[in-house]
Amino acid sequence: MFGVTISLQLWLFICGIAGTMAITKDGIKVAAIRWDAWYWNSSTAARPHLDIVGQAVTFDMEDPKWQYRLPFYAEINSNNTINVGLANSTAVQEQQNRYAQQAGIDYWAFCAYPLFCNDSNPPASECVKIQCCQDNTALGYGLKRYLELDDSQRHGVNFTLLLQAGWFPGQYHGSGETLTEEAARYVTYFQLPFYQHVSIHGGPARPLVYLLGNDDHSAEGLMALRSACHIANIPEPYIVLMGGSVANVIKAMNSLDAQAISSYALVAGGNAEAYPFANNTAKALEWWQEASQLNASIIPPITVGWDNRPRQTYNMPWGAAGACQYGPGKCYVQDPTMKELTAAVGEGLDFTRQHRSDVTAAGHIILSAWDEFDEGHWLCPSLLNGTVKIEAVAKAIQG
């Protein structure tokens, strides 16, 4: 087994010797999405349901050609199996906070999952494509470990919730919490001093909540969340709806009485062979501009890559990663050069500065993502390539 080897460059960055950043982002807040599926160790026995997601997204990167993506806390065994379970620790969570701070990232947007389920041992017949509660509760470890840290261990990095239509409200998806209980728990998060808020043109600071997609229960869920805020005598949340088509997400935003739009990931070349990253960034700019022309408030999403070939060539439990006209494993967006990554983040910051008086009044951008390793959009320092990506982000923020 190979342990985690820390290069001199990586160690210097950890200790802050690489230089103190002069933050020049003009008050703009930078978020990074957290999808925490990295809890599997090949040496441990699999737990029914709980480990199915963690296994899949680790097994699909065992091919050595994908191992350059593995995070700094990973271990590569002599037979190319992978351990990433150290992520489920407060020590690694603190280190990720430290990296985020040094990159200029202000807060995490944690994908939220149920805390526990009505049925902890459901039959497989009820969990087709991992869509039962017990298959997904383990993905909440990142937020749990973050909340266990003290102020000094958070390193100034706040957090917010990224709710998902497929899991919110949880009571319709197997959660052991009622909607009223879930909403009340979220309101306790909103009242933490390190929960991220938004103030528009000097108005009240409102807790920021992202919602990915919407379904028949989304309106009810948001109503319960607002009601819980009223009971606690705090401002209603600032809801940012994430979607694909600008026109469709604006329509849904209005129907849900949300305040702004964004996207989890904007991918123009997902069905193209080796689509240039710069072209994908240009398409994102078109998305921002279309939203602006329609006078929709926006938190500009910046997709830092999209190469999900590991998922295209592995039998994922939730189904194939998508058809590719060139054959499995051939459709992807090229990984960015570090110059391209700096430019992409810089464009998002520039767009936000230019529109602060109107559509980007929230003054935030969101990076997708911190840890979508096998899906091919990640910023987290890697085992093999160190801190180059967060250094590229930091360069954009320094101006």
Side-chain angles (χ1 to χ4, degrees):
M1 179 183 293
F2 302 104
V4 178
T5 301
I6 301 179
S7 68
L8 176 61
Q9 178 193 33
L10 185 58
W11 179 250
L12 291 176
F13 205 82
I14 290 173
C15 296
I17 302 173
T20 301
M21 293 195 317
I23 301 297
T24 59
K25 53 186 176 180
D26 301 329
I28 297 171
K29 299 295 185 182
V30 179
I33 292 173
R34 289 281 299 270
W35 185 69
D36 295 306
W38 317 104
Y39 51 82
W40 172 248
N41 283 333
S42 61
S43 59
T44 58
R47 299 167 297 177
H49 297 290
L50 280 174
D51 287 329
I52 189 169
V53 177
Q55 282 183 312
V57 297
T58 306
F59 288 165
D60 70 355
M61 290 192 295
E62 287 185 346
D63 188 320
K65 68 183 177 184
W66 305 129
Q67 291 180 358
Y68 71 95
R69 305 169 178 227
L70 294 174
F72 68 92
Y73 49 80
E75 297 174 323
I76 304 172
N77 302 316
S78 58
N79 60 355
N80 281 324
T81 58
I82 298 166
N83 295 339
V84 290
L86 286 173
N88 190 8
S89 68
T90 53
V92 168
Q93 178 56 63
E94 180 186 2
Q95 182 56 56
Q96 292 185 91
N97 290 345
R98 187 180 290 114
Y99 281 137
Q101 179 196 46
Q102 292 170 332
I105 293 168
D106 296 286
Y107 66 97
W108 303 121
F110 283 104
C111 292
Y113 289 91
L115 285 181
F116 60 97
C117 306
N118 285 324
D119 188 347
S120 61
N121 190 29
S125 60
E126 294 184 7
C127 298
V128 177
K129 295 187 176 180
I130 67 154
Q131 291 309 304
C132 64
C133 177
Q134 191 68 3
D135 287 345
N136 290 271
T137 53
L139 278 72
Y141 75 84
L143 177 56
K144 291 177 182 178
R145 300 293 84 78
Y146 172 89
L147 291 173
E148 291 169 356
L149 301 176
D150 61 31
D151 287 344
S152 67
Q153 294 171 311
R154 281 188 290 273
H155 296 280
V157 180
N158 291 346
F159 84 106
T160 188
L161 296 173
L162 197 164
L163 306 178
Q164 303 167 83
W167 294 112
F168 175 74
Q171 71 176 24
Y172 296 109
H173 304 283
S175 171
E177 288 182 306
T178 66
L179 175 53
T180 299
E181 291 168 337
E182 182 179 15
R185 174 166 61 89
Y186 292 158
V187 167
T188 66
Y189 296 163
F190 298 166
Q191 296 176 86
L192 294 171
F194 46 92
Y195 192 90
Q196 188 64 48
H197 286 65
V198 169
S199 176
I200 305 298
H201 300 311
R206 301 171 63 177
L208 173 62
V209 175
Y210 293 92
L211 174 62
L212 175 57
N214 67 99
D215 61 18
D216 293 342
H217 303 294
S218 296
E220 179 186 359
L222 294 180
M223 185 180 300
L225 203 53
R226 295 180 181 114
S227 177
C229 287
H230 295 163
I231 292 170
N233 197 29
I234 64 172
E236 291 186 359
Y238 186 91
I239 305 295
V240 182
L241 185 63
M242 300 179 119
S245 158
V246 170
N248 289 343
V249 74
I250 289 176
K251 181 179 178 181
M253 175 191 71
N254 291 331
S255 70
L256 294 171
D257 195 24
Q259 283 64 56
I261 66 169
S262 190
S263 183
Y264 191 91
L266 294 175
V267 185
N271 198 32
E273 188 172 19
Y275 192 74
F277 178 83
N279 291 6
N280 200 66
T281 299
K283 291 294 184 181
L285 178 58
E286 292 177 9
W287 196 95
W288 308 340
Q289 291 171 335
E290 182 182 352
S292 176
Q293 290 163 3
L294 294 172
N295 201 34
S297 295
I298 177 177
I299 291 183
I302 299 167
T303 306
V304 301
W306 189 269
D307 182 356
N308 66 350
R309 284 180 291 172
R311 294 189 180 188
Q312 293 178 36
T313 54
Y314 185 83
N315 185 24
M316 306 305 286
W318 51 82
C324 175
Q325 60 182 321
Y326 304 103
K330 294 186 177 181
C331 288
Y332 63 100
V333 175
Q334 295 176 21
D335 283 344
T337 65
M338 296 308 97
K339 183 177 180 180
E340 288 175 329
L341 181 55
T342 297
V345 176
E347 286 185 18
L349 291 168
D350 287 344
F351 182 88
T352 304
R353 290 188 190 99
Q354 293 163 10
H355 295 275
R356 285 297 293 271
S357 64
D358 46 79
V359 297
T360 61
H364 290 228
I365 63 173
I366 187 163
L367 308 177
S368 180
W370 179 256
D371 53 2
E372 288 270 20
F373 304 113
D374 69 327
E375 201 167 55
H377 48 127
W378 78 97
L379 294 172
C380 179
S382 68
L383 187 63
L384 301 182
N385 293 326
T387 60
V388 292
K389 288 194 172 185
I390 59 172
E391 290 177 62
V393 171
K395 187 174 182 180
I397 291 171
Q398 291 176 52

